[in-house]
Amino acid sequence: MAITLAIRPRVVFGILGTTLDTGKGPKRWERWRPTVSLCQQDNFVVDRLELIHGKRATRLAQTIIEDIASVSPETEVVQHTVDMNDPWDFEEVYSVLHEFATEYQFDTDREDYLVHITTGTHVAQICNFLLTESRYFPARLIQTSPPRKAADGLGSFSIIDLDLSRYDRLAARFEREHTDAITSLKGGIETRNAAFNRLIERIEHVAARTTDPMLITGPTGAGKSRLAGRIYDLRKHRRLVAGNLIEVNCATLRGDGAMSTLFGHRKGAFTGAASDRSGLLLSADGGVLFLDEIGELGLDEQAMLLRAIEERKFLPFGADSEVQSDFQLIVGTNRDLAGRVRSGDFREDLLARINLWTFELPALRDRPEDIEPNLEFELQRYARDRGQQTRLSTEARKQFLEFAIGPAGLWPGNFRDLGAAVTRMATLAPGGRISRDVVTEETERLRRSWYQHTAGEHPELNRLLGPASVENIDLFDRVQLEAVIQVCQRSHSLSEAGRTLFAATRERRTSVNDSDRLRKYLAKFELSWDDVNAGM
Amino acid sequence: MINIDGSQGEGGGQVLRTSLALSTVTGMPFRIESIRAGRPRPGLMRQHLTSVQAACAVCSGTAAGAELGSSTLEFTPGEVRGGDYAFAIGTAGSTTLVLQTILPALMTARGPSTITISGGTHNMHAPTVHFLERAFLPIVRRMGPSVCIDLLRHGFHPAGGGVICVNIEPVLRLQPIELLDAAPVTARRAIVTISGLPGSIAKRELAVVRNELGWSKECLQINQISDEAGPGNILSIEIEREDLTEVFTGFGERGVSAERVAARTIKEVRRYLDSNVLVWRHLADQLMLPMAIAGGGAFQTCSLSDHATTNAKVIESFLSLKLQSDDNDDGTCCVRILS
């Protein structure tokens, strides 16, 4: 015989209904018995029924098994006798079913699973629902309903897939919610950078599904704190968190005050502790705690924090007993925490605990596409905060973006820089209109301040020529010149420096004048051997 | 490949079963579309799948699309082999309908067969075992093969659990026969089969038979069977003639009184007796297939139902012959197999 069955065998888990499934004598066939009815459907075959029941229901189970054999010879019934003393006790029923689901060898590739939720106490139905929803049962739900006219007890059935995204109408709603969540995480900014958008999608997925610690890394001003606030808003909106968002920058916590600020203290715990203080961790109970610059946290505080994360308990300074706080943790850092672990400044176990979901926010200069929408956002924010609309003329906007996206746009302070730039331009804009002149002034200011910022990269050059002149030298030349000057400073003579600098070409040439070549190069920048070595 | 439209006539399962039976007999593959299109839940249901499975089994055939709810099926038969076969039907589906699908092939196969089928034995909208035993199979035996049916256990809807066993001594060719003249009635019998229900139901039904038809006590019989089969109530009325017995069946239903069940059945018996007809409606449906396979013969019946006309059309798509029906003035009809 060769009937090709493409469908996976159907396996149904069901609790024997000690009320609904009962019935004695021939009359039982006129009753609607959900477990039997499940196997009596014209257009639905149960290949295997995993029938769960208590010891006291063994006889009823026997009747049901025989009746199923009669109406559904295709169905194999596997009996599972469980210890359930009180089927109305949530804890007991949940643990029995949970254990059952955990120990069951599921093979979802080969078999199609369904959980029958019509039988059992309401408590059991709820437990089955929860276990299916949390995928302990990798199954869909099946529900049987009594017949409209009680004639043969057949009734009907319907299958409920808890993957709600499968339902068209619900899917549309979910899609909308998902989009709203993404938009809110982006602060309403229509970002265009693909990598950043992917990152936000991932954060949305994680933020809405877990309350585990999240670690946000990225350079200063990349928006870590803002993102933490938006994650909090999203969780609050989805009712995943009830309490407040407590934000603290660990760089501001120093000494005794650090312990006390975070974990609180009892009155008299130390000099100056005039009254009880609850501390930020307790304030975050039921809410979200955002610890920015976690890398700056002292080792003692790290140890306390780890315990607070793991045990949800900690000991306030000077207290005899521990207090409890159940908070969700988000931490931010611009440091290389792994490096701090290696140098002994950061606890490895704490890093392991917070390093579960790590998201790296890119620097603004790595997201050039997003500068324009963020510019727009900052302008609107200015308008909202100051109650004054400000616009960029088309020309001015073009000029600003050319600078911002171009090679000069270093944005070391990231969004903090951009926000400040917009605030300055908007404030200086005559009649709410930012002109080319205002933009020119601002870009010059930025250039200069970033120059200061990057001055450390070419110390000798700055010392010899002064920042103003260095600014006029291309980065291309700046790098080379800095290296040349450093070689000169290490050499005893011009010719020795020349030999070092032109060593490679020297090998291939017969007659060379390295000293001359070096002298001419330095002269291009109005520098001489003596200038370079002056004060050395 | 023969193409069959499953929606023709009343668009039920009979089109599929007749096609499976004839494909198995003739060795011609077929494709059927719009299976059971006329039913509230169209497509293949469990009991139809069992028929497909049974057809595959007796001839090592293959079926594509044999899935629940499928509306298209492609069936390729192989060589029919007599032997021992067992089939189980879920949902108390009819054992006799599965038998109907494979019997034509097995009664013309090489080698005898024993078929055991479990499921429902007395289903509405299907011939009962009693009907096959008393009305249909005696005629089949006259065409050559020996076919005996044993009811090992009753199976009523919805409990099922019935078992029939059918022994077949095949012949290579069926003999055409003619059933044209109604000989006088020689015996009459009314049997109530009852299970899991109060015995008074049987008595009330037989009381109606007695009053309405004026039959003597000797014609009435109660067949009380064990409660295990679940509730069931069948009234079988037999009209026996020298060469043919007709069986009329009434099914007890919840919410329908015993008197009404009996009255409905008697009404049909009266119509039969008042007409000059030999072969009544349900038997006519059953006879078409073996007669067509025999390649000839004729029977006299009442005017053909939609069901019978559809059946005739399906038969004509497999066999190069014609089922000609000629209506007579007295309301009777003569069906003739013309090759």
Side-chain angles (χ1 to χ4, degrees), chain A residues 26 29-30 39 41-42 70-72 74, chain B residues 46 90-91 158-161 231 254:
Chain A
W29 290 104
E30 289 166 16
C39 301
Q41 302 298 321
D42 260 351
S70 175
V71 295
S72 189
E74 301 97 321
Chain B
R46 282 167 77 174
T91 66
R254 207 183 143 115

Side-chain angles (χ1 to χ4, degrees), chain B residues 277 288 299-305 308-309 323-336:
Chain B
V277 170
M288 279 185 179
F299 60 93
Q300 183 246 32
T301 181
C302 48
S303 58
L304 291 185
S305 64
T309 319
L323 279 79
Q324 186 179 297
S325 61
D326 298 314
D327 288 327
N328 300 321
D329 296 339
D330 58 0
T332 63
C333 167
C334 182
V335 177
R336 218 167 260 286

